[in-house]
Amino acid sequence: MEQKLLNTLKMEHKTLQEQINELNKQMREKSKDLMKEAFRDFLGKYDEVVENIYWTQYTPHFNDGEACEFGVNDVFILLKDDEEACEYEGSSLYDQDSIKSLKEQIAVWEAWEKDPMAEARKHQSEYIKTYNRNPFDPKRSYNRYETKTEEDLMREWKPHYVSKESCKEQLHTAELIVSKYPKLQKDFKEIKSMISGLDEDLMRAMFGDHVKVIVAKDGIEVEDYEHD
């Protein structure tokens, strides 16, 4: 009798597990279809300029003593013909604030070209007000084995890490994108918000762990992803 009951319980558990697996499969497929639909609208709208959208999701191998938990990371966008795009951060998206900032950087470069020392003194004054220390102090640790003076350091100074030519190229790209696709940045933020709002267990069920998910107009590709 006990063996018969045990066999019945095993059969019922197996049947229930099969039903659960089937429901999970249906949920994954339905969720994927809904995501594809959302991506299809965005990628169709911006087909001329957007190559793909991508993100990574994984359980870290190490978390400084804390529990290693699965997570979905930030979402990035890759624009077509973007030679400056970084694999880990994708392409830059621009808005009117970006254009304003680039124009300001170019203006600083042009002022520096006319009078480098005047711009260095201006930078020095603003830096001291903000950080309460002299950016051209010859006693700074990385300069202590050299014999450069404050004036030497000021003459070597340049306004930005990014060159004037690069700023102009970025400005040209930014103005083109903003003029032709004024809502691209806003629409992409909505896509990011949608993905970040999804349950992480569902994301893992749909795409897996230790993966990079790439969404293009012709479909979704999942690649193995190596990480720390």
Side-chain angles (χ1 to χ4, degrees), residues 87-183:
E87 178 184 356
Y88 299 104
E89 297 182 0
S91 299
S92 298
L93 287 185
Y94 302 98
D95 56 15
Q96 292 296 341
D97 289 339
S98 307
I99 291 174
K100 179 182 177 183
S101 176
L102 287 166
K103 286 181 176 179
E104 289 173 351
Q105 291 180 51
I106 292 169
V108 170
W109 270 112
E110 290 174 345
W112 176 83
E113 289 171 346
K114 292 178 181 177
D115 193 339
M117 288 300 289
E119 283 302 304
R121 292 189 188 95
K122 180 180 177 182
H123 169 72
Q124 181 184 47
S125 175
E126 293 173 349
Y127 194 96
I128 290 173
K129 286 180 182 178
T130 303
Y131 302 106
N132 198 33
R133 55 192 175 90
N134 182 7
F136 302 116
D137 182 358
K139 296 179 182 178
R140 288 178 299 179
S141 60
Y142 65 80
N143 188 52
R144 62 185 176 181
Y145 299 114
E146 300 180 8
T147 57
K148 292 180 180 179
T149 65
E150 178 177 302
E151 185 172 336
D152 291 333
L153 294 172
M154 292 176 78
R155 291 188 184 282
E156 292 176 354
W157 175 79
K158 289 182 172 58
H160 297 287
Y161 294 110
V162 181
S163 69
K164 176 183 172 183
E165 291 71 24
S166 181
C167 287
K168 284 187 171 183
E169 290 175 3
Q170 289 182 49
L171 177 61
H172 176 69
T173 301
E175 289 177 333
L176 282 176
I177 290 176
V178 170
S179 63
K180 195 168 184 180
Y181 309 102
K183 294 184 178 180

Side-chain angles (χ1 to χ4, degrees), residues 21 24-32 202 205-206:
N21 292 341
N24 283 333
K25 180 181 177 182
Q26 292 177 20
M27 178 189 67
R28 290 195 299 270
E29 295 305 316
K30 181 62 175 176
S31 299
K32 278 187 179 182
L202 175 60
M206 283 194 292

